[in-house]
Amino acid sequence: MIQFSAVAKRYPGGHEALQDVSCEVQAGELVVVTGPSGAGKSTFLKLASGIERATRGSIVVNGQNLSSLGETALAVLRRNIGFVFQDHKLLFDRCAWDNVALPLRIAGASRDETGRRVRAALDKVGLLGKDRAMPITLSGGEQQRLCIARAIVNRPAVLVADEPTGNLDAAAARAVLDLFVSFNRVGVTVLLSTHDEASAAALGGRHLAIASGRLAAGTP
């Protein structure tokens, strides 16, 4: 489903965040990307989901080479990938319902379809009773679950999450991790990063270790 071949990413100023990365993520897998802060995990996830483009090498997602796609085609591909950002990126001037509905409105979904999907997504993450709450009134764990609801409302085949438990206490982190495991059990491909070894162990799945922009030796 996702294939990296000799991928590198260099940012302006010369910082090379990834170097010569080659790996595959199969459909239906749960893959945990581990490594210390600054190792290149976030860059790896952004490249895998088409948010950023590689400097060298090729990335193929669902049979499509991302480097050959124009912006319109890339936007269409990204609709099938739900991304949970490390910094949430919630709209704090809109209620929980409107935050989750935004991807559907951008995609042109009907009002009825939007209503059904938003209710289902909020219910899945345990926030249906707080659909009209403003994000600022939610706890850190609830804000993260709201981000997950927004990521899954389009029913993506792939769910990508960048350090989703980084700022949560143990109980909230466990609840969030359980959500990702539950999505994977129904066939969603989950690609998730963490620098926390306990979180990585709790998730199970296959681990990809990144250190200084490279896959660690022996990583499958």
Side-chain angles (χ1 to χ4, degrees):
M1 172 172 277
I2 302 172
Q3 182 179 44
F4 277 56
S5 298
V7 170
K9 174 65 177 182
R10 175 174 291 179
Y11 288 104
H15 173 60
E16 196 151 22
L18 289 181
Q19 304 173 56
D20 195 31
V21 173
S22 297
C23 62
E24 291 187 16
V25 176
Q26 300 297 328
E29 268 199 293
L30 190 160
V31 175
V32 184
V33 183
T34 63
S37 296
K41 301 187 301 298
S42 294
T43 298
F44 179 87
L45 297 184
K46 289 175 182 176
L47 292 175
S49 53
I51 293 175
E52 294 185 359
R53 293 182 184 266
T55 306
R56 296 189 304 277
S58 69
I59 302 170
V60 177
V61 178
N62 284 341
Q64 298 185 77
N65 191 323
L66 300 192
S67 63
S68 67
L69 296 181
E71 290 302 320
T72 300
L74 195 58
V76 171
L77 180 140
R78 283 199 298 260
R79 291 178 188 172
N80 205 35
I81 302 173
F83 200 102
V84 180
F85 293 93
Q86 190 171 357
D87 58 355
H88 292 176
K89 298 192 183 299
L90 293 171
L91 302 176
F92 282 86
D93 61 340
R94 303 188 190 186
C95 68
W97 178 281
D98 288 337
N99 268 272
V100 177
L102 185 61
L104 295 172
R105 289 171 175 159
I106 291 173
S110 69
R111 183 173 180 177
D112 287 346
E113 180 70 6
T114 296
R116 285 193 297 270
R117 290 200 182 191
V118 172
R119 279 192 295 273
L122 287 171
D123 187 42
K124 181 66 177 178
V125 302
L127 290 177
L128 188 55
K130 297 191 175 184
D131 58 321
R132 296 302 171 187
M134 302 301 287
I136 195 66
T137 68
L138 302 176
S139 69
E142 288 171 335
Q143 288 184 12
Q144 189 64 289
R145 285 187 278 136
L146 182 59
C147 293
I148 295 169
R150 183 182 58 191
I152 66 169
V153 75
N154 264 333
R155 300 173 184 167
V158 181
L159 185 56
V160 179
D162 188 8
E163 296 276 4
T165 62
N167 298 314
L168 304 180
D169 61 36
R174 181 68 259 181
V176 166
L177 293 178
D178 287 345
L179 280 173
F180 288 109
V181 172
S182 71
F183 295 136
N184 180 247
R185 285 175 178 162
V186 296
V188 177
T189 303
V190 174
L191 185 58
L192 180 150
S193 73
T194 182
H195 66 272
D196 179 54
E197 293 299 328
S199 293
L203 278 162
R206 180 163 64 94
H207 292 190
L208 296 177
I210 296 180
S212 300
R214 295 182 181 272
L215 284 181
T219 298

